[in-house]
Amino acid sequence: MGQTTTDTLFVYETIVVYDTIKVYDTLKVEYKKELNSNASETFFKNNNSAQNAVLVIDTANQKAQLVLFNKNDTATISISNIILSETNKNLETMKKEILTFATAAIVAQAAFAQKNTTDSLFLEKKYAVGAGVTFKGDGIGGTVKFDYLKTKKLSFGLRSNVTSNKWRDMSFSGSNEPGFEYPGYTLHFTGGHIINGFLTTTYNFKKEGYASKLGLYVVGGLGYQDFKMSGTTNYTDPQYDHSSVFSYKTFLGLICFGGDYKVGPGKVFLDIPIALSIYEQYKNEYVFKTQPSRNGSFKSNYWAIPEVGFVALNIGYTLYF
């Protein structure tokens, strides 16, 4: 592919045709670097765009076909004027016209294939930027991601999710059992949020990596998450009523499975991130309505047995640069 070759045609005196003779010739076309063009030798080598052609000549029926091959398709071109009788063309002229016509056809096909590949978003890209919507069981939000494309199959990057958070209210009955008396109460949650960010490594399973029309990938990473929820606690005895803000700051490991599909200039993606808590910092701040002396906070730090700290569904779009 990277070397220049010359096709040589040998003619041995007179050829007497008693039956059908089919001639097969294979030609390859290379492009050199042109100004403001992607038609470089390296480009064709990396994208398997060199053209192969087989010239099929049926001298008995005076028919010929030029069959062109590239990576994605095959084209057959009829050549009606290259079978010439000896009465009006000599063999040397015939040879030159056949090779000229065949080369021109191959060049045209290569230019067409090059245009299709150049128009593709997957031509020697280095970066991918994506954004989308995040659906979570108790909230909705958005996601963003950035990747440096080390190879077609491997990339390194960042990703983040931001979602709202709203829990259902909960009520608990009190107890009048001697020695275990306590008033009933209701937990009313007013809302919160989850914000996380991860350093990631992405691996594409398909042979062409991110350049495949339909892709499948897995993401692994480490990151940090801030979880916050606000609420009020109302007791059957109002003197204990108070408001609370509790939060978790968590270090997590990420595993994410996804797929994407080429649509327009980029790819639509769908993936499911699952983050497992590793280490947590918990904090609860509370303010009593009628007993300010009880106001305060509670804090604790602990290593967590790996448990699901975040799971969601992301749907979005990725552009390549």
Side-chain angles (χ1 to χ4, degrees):
M1 177 70 189
Q3 299 180 349
T4 302
T5 59
T6 302
D7 290 309
T8 304
L9 180 65
F10 297 93
V11 179
Y12 298 95
E13 299 301 332
T14 302
I15 298 177
V16 179
V17 179
Y18 296 98
D19 199 354
T20 300
I21 295 178
K22 292 187 178 180
V23 180
Y24 296 87
D25 187 18
T26 301
L27 299 92
K28 291 188 177 180
V29 173
E30 293 183 43
Y31 278 85
K32 296 300 181 182
K33 184 68 177 177
E34 298 175 1
L35 184 63
N36 299 322
S37 170
N38 288 315
S40 67
E41 181 176 329
T42 301
F43 165 75
F44 276 93
K45 181 184 297 183
N46 291 340
N47 292 276
N48 303 309
S49 296
Q51 301 302 302
N52 294 323
V54 175
L55 182 61
V56 182
I57 303 174
D58 186 341
T59 57
N61 298 310
Q62 294 194 344
K63 293 181 180 179
Q65 289 182 329
L66 183 65
V67 183
L68 304 175
F69 302 89
N70 66 19
K71 180 181 177 183
N72 297 317
D73 55 22
T74 302
T76 302
I77 299 175
S78 176
I79 308 172
S80 60
N81 64 340
I82 65 172
I83 304 300
L84 308 171
S85 67
E86 284 190 321
T87 58
N88 56 8
K89 294 286 182 178
N90 59 42
L91 189 57
E92 185 65 24
T93 303
M94 177 179 172
K95 177 192 71 173
K96 292 180 180 179
E97 292 198 9
I98 289 175
L99 293 179
T100 300
F101 189 91
T103 303
I106 297 171
V107 170
Q109 176 72 0
F112 178 77
Q114 177 197 345
K115 181 179 184 303
N116 283 347
T117 305
T118 303
D119 289 343
S120 168
L121 75 152
F122 307 122
L123 175 59
E124 298 298 328
K125 304 300 184 182
K126 290 296 183 183
Y127 306 101
V129 178
V133 180
T134 299
F135 299 94
K136 192 173 177 293
D138 46 18
I140 189 171
T143 184
V144 293
K145 61 179 183 175
F146 169 83
D147 284 284
Y148 167 67
L149 306 174
K150 179 66 175 177
T151 67
K152 285 188 175 182
K153 301 189 71 169
L154 185 66
S155 63
F156 304 100
L158 305 166
R159 68 160 51 206
S160 175
N161 286 97
V162 179
T163 68
S164 61
N165 212 34
K166 179 66 169 68
W167 290 352
R168 294 181 180 179
D169 294 347
M170 295 183 290
S171 295
F172 301 89
S173 59
S175 172
N176 294 319
E177 184 179 348
F180 298 95
E181 300 92 345
Y182 59 88
Y185 61 95
T186 298
L187 296 177
H188 175 67
F189 300 103
T190 57
H193 68 256
I194 294 177
I195 302 173
N196 59 39
F198 298 92
L199 296 173
T200 60
T201 299
T202 301
Y203 180 80
N204 289 275
F205 292 104
K206 301 299 283 292
K207 181 179 179 180
E208 294 301 317
Y210 75 88
S212 60
K213 187 171 185 179
L214 173 62
L216 296 172
Y217 59 85
V218 63
V219 181
L222 292 173
Y224 180 80
Q225 177 169 282
D226 179 80
F227 169 95
K228 183 174 288 187
M229 178 66 72
S230 299
T232 59
T233 305
N234 300 313
Y235 287 84
T236 54
D237 184 349
Q239 67 171 317
Y240 298 111
D241 289 357
H242 64 274
S243 61
S244 299
V245 176
F246 57 95
S247 60
Y248 289 92
K249 299 184 184 302
T250 310
F251 292 93
L252 312 103
L254 174 70
I255 184 72
C256 177
F257 301 95
D260 50 25
Y261 187 79
K262 182 182 181 303
V263 176
K267 299 183 81 174
V268 174
F269 71 85
L270 183 151
D271 58 35
I272 300 175
I274 303 171
L276 302 178
S277 299
I278 300 173
Y279 183 79
E280 294 184 350
Q281 299 172 318
Y282 171 74
K283 182 179 181 181
N284 185 9
E285 301 173 280
Y286 38 87
V287 177
F288 283 79
K289 291 182 178 180
T290 61
Q291 303 181 62
S293 61
R294 290 177 172 240
N295 297 346
S297 65
F298 172 78
K299 300 179 181 179
S300 66
N301 299 335
Y302 55 91
W303 290 96
I305 297 174
E307 59 183 357
V308 175
F310 180 82
V311 60
L313 173 68
N314 295 324
I315 300 176
Y317 196 76
T318 303
L319 290 173
Y320 295 82
F321 301 93

